[in-house]
Amino acid sequence: MKQYAVVAYDYTDNAALDRRLANREAHLDGVRDLARQGKFLSGGAILDSEGRMIGSNAHFRFVDRQDLEAWLETEPYMTGRVWERVDIREVALFDPNA
């Protein structure tokens, strides 16, 4: 399994936060499911200087990039037009317990 850092930035139009909130529970349910599968490692919202959610950052474990891309195709923040730009990088996370 490969590890990936995903940094996603929300759209900036006036309805962007409303779309995020409308899709949030479905997004979190999906992340919880990935966590049960051992695919979600850590993550959370990116906040602006006023504490508003403007994006997401997370670490995942997938078989390969294609597996990650397949997940993204069904991710509510993608299908619900919350994330406008997604940066994906393969990473090697430090395990402090190793």
Side-chain angles (χ1 to χ4, degrees), residues 2-18:
K2 295 182 179 185
Q3 297 173 331
Y4 297 93
V6 175
V7 179
Y9 296 95
D10 293 2
Y11 285 88
T12 57
D13 59 272
N14 291 335
L17 183 57
D18 290 337

Side-chain angles (χ1 to χ4, degrees), residues 82-97:
V82 175
W83 290 337
E84 179 178 28
R85 184 170 44 99
V86 179
D87 183 29
I88 301 168
R89 302 281 185 214
E90 187 175 343
V91 296
L93 296 174
F94 171 70
D95 181 353
N97 299 312

Side-chain angles (χ1 to χ4, degrees), residues 4-9 23 27 30-31 34 39-40 56-62 64-89:
Y4 297 93
V6 175
V7 179
Y9 296 95
N23 286 282
H27 163 74
V31 171
L34 289 175
K39 292 182 177 182
F40 173 78
S56 306
N57 75 95
H59 292 114
F60 295 96
R61 181 181 7 237
F62 283 95
D64 54 28
R65 177 72 180 245
Q66 290 174 322
D67 193 24
L68 171 60
E69 296 283 350
W71 164 72
L72 275 176
E73 288 179 12
T74 64
E75 159 57 45
Y77 278 1
M78 292 297 290
T79 62
R81 296 193 69 243
V82 175
W83 290 337
E84 179 178 28
R85 184 170 44 99
V86 179
D87 183 29
I88 301 168
R89 302 281 185 214

